[in-house]
Amino acid sequence: MDKRVQFDFEIDFSNGGGLQGQEFRLDLHGDDISDEELAKYIVEDMRLLMVGEVRILNKKIIEEKHKRKL
């Protein structure tokens, strides 16, 4: 079984406003990922601009089949 990371996140934008996600899941390549790496991955994958602070909350690694092809 593959591993995925499930987490909540909050993103503040430098020009105002924000974005939140609950129980968001992403494929994980390896056994773990740091909050910093995960924040960078979210911002790049969602092609977000003018990002201020990113907070990762309630992170856990789960066993579940990957959803994307490599």
Side-chain angles (χ1 to χ4, degrees), residues 9 11 14 30 40 45 47 57 65 67 70:
F9 67 87
I11 298 174
S14 59
K40 182 179 175 185
D45 200 52
R47 297 185 175 116
L57 310 160
K65 186 157 181 60
K67 304 300 181 193
L70 294 175

Side-chain angles (χ1 to χ4, degrees), residues 33-51:
I33 187 169
S34 71
D35 289 357
E36 294 78 19
E37 289 175 299
L38 189 51
K40 182 179 175 185
Y41 186 45
I42 296 166
V43 169
E44 289 177 359
D45 200 52
M46 295 177 79
R47 297 185 175 116
L48 301 175
L49 302 174
M50 301 186 77
V51 172

Side-chain angles (χ1 to χ4, degrees), residues 8-13 18-22 24 46 55 57:
D8 301 337
F9 67 87
E10 298 173 349
I11 298 174
D12 297 331
F13 295 102
L19 181 68
Q20 296 179 348
Q22 290 81 37
F24 202 76
M46 295 177 79
R55 289 173 298 284
L57 310 160

Side-chain angles (χ1 to χ4, degrees), residues 3-5 7 24-28 38 41-42 45:
K3 294 199 177 184
R4 302 185 83 212
V5 58
F7 58 98
F24 202 76
R25 293 182 182 192
L26 290 173
D27 294 346
L28 185 61
L38 189 51
Y41 186 45
I42 296 166
D45 200 52

